[in-house]
């Protein structure tokens, strides 16, 4: 098969589109012919060696987390899937024409959802859902979602609304117009100190941004509230002992992914896709993503 192979840590130029051994499904695994994958920050951080302490690459190796495609072979003990099923998942080594996925980590693409589009959804929608749930926000309470214009943030806002919570979208000034379609009840600019000062206390924060923004906004959480983050926790968290800080690591959940994907299919949740590039152009795709391209970039196999 052809795959995007990494022989050493470095910039986008280390991504080489070349021949690589076909993977073989083992017990409880499924072989998927990849329709598409997508570019996520974890992909280019891993390529650059920024995650080698906890998520290293063995060279020559593959990267990639999102996958959508068609089942072409079933390993021993797999009962839930058949050859020809259209599937999607969070997996490993997805920048390739073929990928082995554990059946337990696989879901069927909902009818009516485009197979290529499905590749944009697994990591960001699952992460956003689980980030929001970690805030433990209840119906009638208010949650501030930082980075709400991003795909994880959008997914968190949608999840908040499905739980009956009031969602405040925190975005940059330049994103205020874009944030009008994320489904939040209120939008504020997190790089506007006056806007922050005027924000009433919230019951929880769902953070996808971190940094200085996190340090400012933790002060806006009610005592006893929760500050959940998928990035580093606020460095000044010790100053707010009444606020519980939770670090969220996303993990695959089939029901969650199916639920979020159905929301995208039905137009209830919008995950913008900015570009669709051939898998062979993964280096260009990652370079664009690292420069802050808006919307998901898909790599079509």
């Amino acid at each position: 098969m052809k795959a995007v192979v990494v022989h050493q840590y470095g910039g986008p130029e280390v991504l080489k589109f070349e021949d690589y051994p076909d993977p073989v499904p083992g017990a409880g695994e499924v072989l998927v012919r990849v329709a598409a994958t997508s570019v996520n920050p974890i992909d280019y951080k891993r390529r650059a060696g920024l995650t080698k302490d906890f998520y290293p690459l063995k060279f020559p190796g593959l990267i990639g987390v999102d996958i959508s495609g068609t089942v072409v072979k079933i390993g021993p003990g797999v009962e839930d899937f058949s050859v020809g099923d259209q599937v999607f998942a969070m997996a490993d080594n997805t920048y390739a024409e073929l990928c082995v996925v554990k059946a337990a980590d696989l879901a069927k693409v909902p009818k009516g959802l485009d197979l290529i589009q499905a590749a944009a959804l697994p990591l960001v929608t699952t992460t956003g859902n689980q980030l929001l749930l970690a805030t433990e926000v209840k119906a009638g309470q208010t949650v501030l979602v930082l980075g709400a214009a991003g795909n994880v943030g959008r997914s968190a806002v949608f999840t908040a609304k499905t739980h009956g919570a009031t969602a405040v979208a925190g975005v940059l000034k330049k994103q205020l117009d874009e944030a009008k379609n994320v489904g939040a009840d209120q939008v504020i600019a997190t790089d506007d100190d006056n806007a922050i000062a005027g924000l009433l206390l919230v019951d929880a924060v769902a953070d996808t941004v971190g940094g200085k923004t996190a340090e400012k906004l933790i002060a806006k959480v009610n005592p006893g509230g929760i500050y959940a983050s998928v990035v580093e926790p606020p460095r000044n968290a010790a100053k707010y002992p009444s606020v519980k800080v939770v670090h969220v690591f996303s993990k695959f959940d089939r029901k969650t992914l199916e639920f979020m994907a159905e929301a995208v299919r039905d137009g209830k949740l919008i995950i913008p896709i900015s570009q669709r590039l051939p898998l062979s152009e993964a280096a260009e795709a990652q370079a664009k993503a690292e420069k802050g391209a808006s919307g998901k970039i898909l790599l079509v196999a």
Side-chain angles (χ1 to χ4, degrees), residues 65-67 80-81 87-92 101-109 121-123 125-127 129-130 249-259:
V65 176
D66 284 329
I67 181 175
D80 295 338
F81 297 93
V87 294
F88 61 155
M90 291 163 55
D92 286 317
V101 185
K102 293 179 181 178
D105 294 342
L106 202 60
K108 294 179 181 177
V109 175
L121 308 183
L123 182 61
T125 63
T126 300
T127 301
N129 179 281
Q130 293 176 352
F249 296 93
S250 62
K251 58 183 179 179
F252 177 80
D253 182 84
R254 183 178 295 164
K255 289 185 178 180
T256 296
L257 179 53
E258 291 172 344
F259 172 74

Side-chain angles (χ1 to χ4, degrees), residues 61 89 153 157 234 236 255 301:
V157 169
N236 60 341
K255 289 185 178 180

Side-chain angles (χ1 to χ4, degrees), residues 157-246:
V157 169
F158 169 75
T159 304
K161 297 306 300 174
T162 63
H163 282 73
T166 296
V168 180
V171 299
L172 300 175
K173 290 178 185 176
K174 64 182 181 181
Q175 297 172 317
L176 286 173
D177 286 339
E178 180 185 356
K180 292 177 181 178
N181 73 346
V182 303
D185 300 281
Q186 179 184 348
V187 180
I188 70 158
T190 54
D191 51 351
D192 182 338
D193 288 341
N194 289 330
I196 292 176
L199 177 67
L200 298 177
L201 293 182
V202 298
D203 298 293
V205 169
D207 183 14
T208 74
V209 178
K212 295 292 185 181
T213 301
E215 293 177 26
K216 291 180 181 180
L217 271 305
I218 190 173
K220 289 293 183 176
V221 182
N222 274 318
I226 294 179
Y227 194 106
S229 176
V230 292
V231 288
E232 61 181 1
R235 295 181 180 178
N236 60 341
K239 294 183 180 179
Y240 303 92
S242 66
V243 176
K244 180 181 178 182
V245 176
V246 179

